[in-house]
């Protein structure tokens, strides 16, 4: 089996679990969850190696972080797209947008109920890009923690 597959899969599932079930109650928590997912991918990869003196390289870290970001980002965008099929969720989304913009507009509701595929494509691209970038940073930061000091 590919040595990258298991750490990427486990850390991606943990990231999806953190983003959907265990929602952290502060602003920016989903971004932190992606960072944690990338970090965990590198830690799981290093702990799976029999050679305890194996040093995690930047190539390993890049593969792990981007792979974790792509899998977790695509699962999250799939969940969000599925949830946006409900009219009540769309109404809550519109209310949240109005609250953030401090306005009370109802003109967007007919447009919001007929979301086109372009919206979902752009949503998926943005989520995949942000997830991959943050998981990459998390896995790169993990290099300093998982590699032992050279003596």
């Amino acid at each position: 089996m590919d040595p990258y597959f298991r750490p990427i899969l486990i850390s991606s599932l943990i990231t999806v679990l953190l983003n959907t079930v265990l929602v952290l109650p502060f602003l920016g928590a989903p971004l932190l969850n992606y960072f944690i997912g990338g970090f965990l991918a590198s830690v799981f990869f290093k702990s799976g190696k029999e050679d305890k003196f194996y040093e995690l390289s930047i190539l390993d870290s890049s593969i792990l972080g981007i792979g974790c970001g792509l899998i977790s980002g695509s699962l999250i965008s799939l969940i969000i797209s599925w949830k946006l099929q409900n009219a009540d969720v769309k109404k809550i989304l519109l209310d949240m947008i109005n609250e953030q913009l401090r306005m009370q507009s109802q003109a967007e509701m007919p447009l919001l109920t007929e979301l086109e595929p372009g919206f979902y494509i752009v949503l998926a691209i943005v989520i995949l890009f942000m997830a991959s970038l943050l998981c990459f940073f998390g896995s790169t930061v993990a290099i300093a923690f998982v590699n032992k000091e050279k003596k």
Side-chain angles (χ1 to χ4, degrees):
M1 184 189 297
D2 187 25
Y4 299 109
F5 181 70
R6 181 171 284 159
I8 288 173
L9 186 63
I10 293 171
S11 61
S12 296
L13 293 177
I14 290 173
T15 304
V16 170
L17 182 73
L18 285 173
N19 275 331
T20 56
V21 178
L22 304 172
V23 179
L24 300 176
F26 57 89
L27 190 63
L31 301 178
L32 178 66
N33 292 337
Y34 289 124
F35 186 84
I36 291 170
F39 188 88
L40 288 176
S42 292
V43 170
F44 291 151
F45 179 76
K46 176 69 172 156
S47 67
K49 290 289 187 183
E50 288 89 22
D51 183 14
K52 65 178 183 176
F53 296 109
Y54 178 81
E55 290 194 4
L56 188 68
S57 67
I58 191 69
L59 178 66
D60 295 333
S61 173
S62 301
I63 292 170
L64 291 165
I66 293 172
C68 176
L70 288 175
I71 291 176
S72 61
S74 51
L75 288 174
I76 291 293
S77 64
L78 182 69
I79 291 169
I80 289 173
S81 297
W82 180 61
K83 284 297 209 181
L84 281 176
Q85 300 302 316
N86 189 353
D88 294 333
V89 174
K90 291 179 188 177
K91 179 69 175 150
I92 291 170
L93 178 68
L94 182 63
D95 291 340
M96 287 173 46
I97 292 171
N98 284 334
E99 181 181 329
Q100 291 297 320
L101 295 176
R102 292 181 178 79
M103 54 190 272
Q104 291 301 321
S105 172
Q106 297 299 325
E108 292 87 7
M109 192 58 190
L111 295 175
L112 198 57
T113 57
E114 299 173 6
L115 294 176
E116 295 183 7
F119 173 79
Y120 294 112
I121 291 171
V122 170
L123 177 75
I125 289 171
V126 169
I127 290 174
L128 287 173
F129 176 74
M130 291 302 296
S132 297
L133 186 68
L134 289 166
C135 285
F136 171 74
F137 285 143
S139 65
T140 305
V141 167
I143 292 175
F145 293 100
V146 299
N147 286 343
K148 302 291 183 199
E149 275 187 45
K150 289 186 177 180
K151 298 197 183 211

